[in-house]
Amino acid sequence: MASDHPLLWSRCAHLGRVLLPLLDQELWRRDRRRERLQGWDIDRVVGERLIEVIAALAGHAVALDASLSAAEFETLPLSAVSDAATGKRDFELLAGLPDSFADDRDEIAVKIFRLYAYKGGRTSLQLIRLSTEVRHTSTVLAAREPSPSPSPTCSDIFRQADTAGLPR
């Protein structure tokens, strides 16, 4: 799987990037999230990017724990990503990341996450709040999924993103 690692991160990062646009198909949800970010004194752009990277980190951590390849990542239940976002500690989410990132935005977002995690105090509280946004987003998207399974998979989310015309 080592040679597959950058591709696995790429799939995880893609998952993180499509969650909020899928949620925002109902515009009032976007407005509510932005109100919460403002109430928490979190810059909207930074907060939304950290939500994306927390989802990616959570997916990556679960995939590594389960020894999934990039191809198998799509079988991962969205609930497992959601559980990891709120259940794993910051250092657990950071474990096993690739040495380098193909997308500079991912590298910058991971560095910001690290800074927030290591700074502690108020910034750690902000990460906890943003992690709950990942859980909320996952819960809403899972409820929208018409599949008979109790928990949609990452593949189901990618299919929703394709249907919505979101970029790959």
Side-chain angles (χ1 to χ4, degrees):
M1 187 171 90
S3 64
D4 191 43
H5 201 199
L7 185 54
L8 175 62
W9 171 257
S10 174
R11 299 302 295 153
C12 296
H14 179 61
L15 176 69
R17 280 193 281 278
V18 300
L19 290 179
L20 291 181
L22 285 172
L23 182 72
D24 291 350
Q25 289 177 330
E26 296 172 294
L27 294 178
W28 67 270
R29 291 189 185 278
R30 180 191 63 204
D31 295 339
R32 279 276 206 35
R33 179 182 61 252
R34 290 179 175 175
E35 287 172 11
R36 280 190 302 277
L37 291 173
Q38 184 178 18
W40 294 333
D41 199 27
I42 300 173
D43 177 79
R44 180 189 62 81
V45 174
V46 172
E48 290 180 348
R49 185 62 180 122
L50 281 170
I51 291 168
E52 291 175 7
V53 82
I54 290 168
L57 289 168
H60 189 260
V62 174
L64 288 182
D65 288 350
S67 299
L68 297 179
S69 68
E72 296 167 321
F73 177 72
E74 295 196 9
T75 66
L76 189 66
L78 187 59
S79 62
V81 175
S82 177
D83 290 346
T86 56
K88 287 191 176 279
R89 302 199 41 159
D90 301 338
F91 66 87
E92 292 176 297
L93 294 178
L94 291 167
L97 286 175
D99 295 330
S100 62
F101 298 87
D103 188 331
D104 289 341
R105 295 175 309 156
D106 292 339
E107 185 170 2
I108 291 167
V110 168
K111 286 179 179 179
I112 291 170
F113 180 89
R114 274 192 181 111
L115 286 172
Y116 273 51
Y118 294 135
K119 188 172 181 182
R122 183 172 170 260
T123 56
S124 288
L125 176 60
Q126 289 180 335
L127 286 180
I128 291 168
R129 288 174 169 161
L130 294 171
S131 295
T132 63
E133 287 296 310
V134 173
R135 177 174 284 288
H136 170 74
T137 300
S138 300
T139 302
V140 170
L141 294 178
R144 285 185 191 166
E145 182 56 40
S147 78
S149 72
S151 179
T153 63
C154 292
S155 176
D156 294 321
I157 298 303
F158 292 146
R159 186 180 33 70
Q160 284 184 26
D162 287 344
T163 300
L166 298 177
R168 279 216 164 237

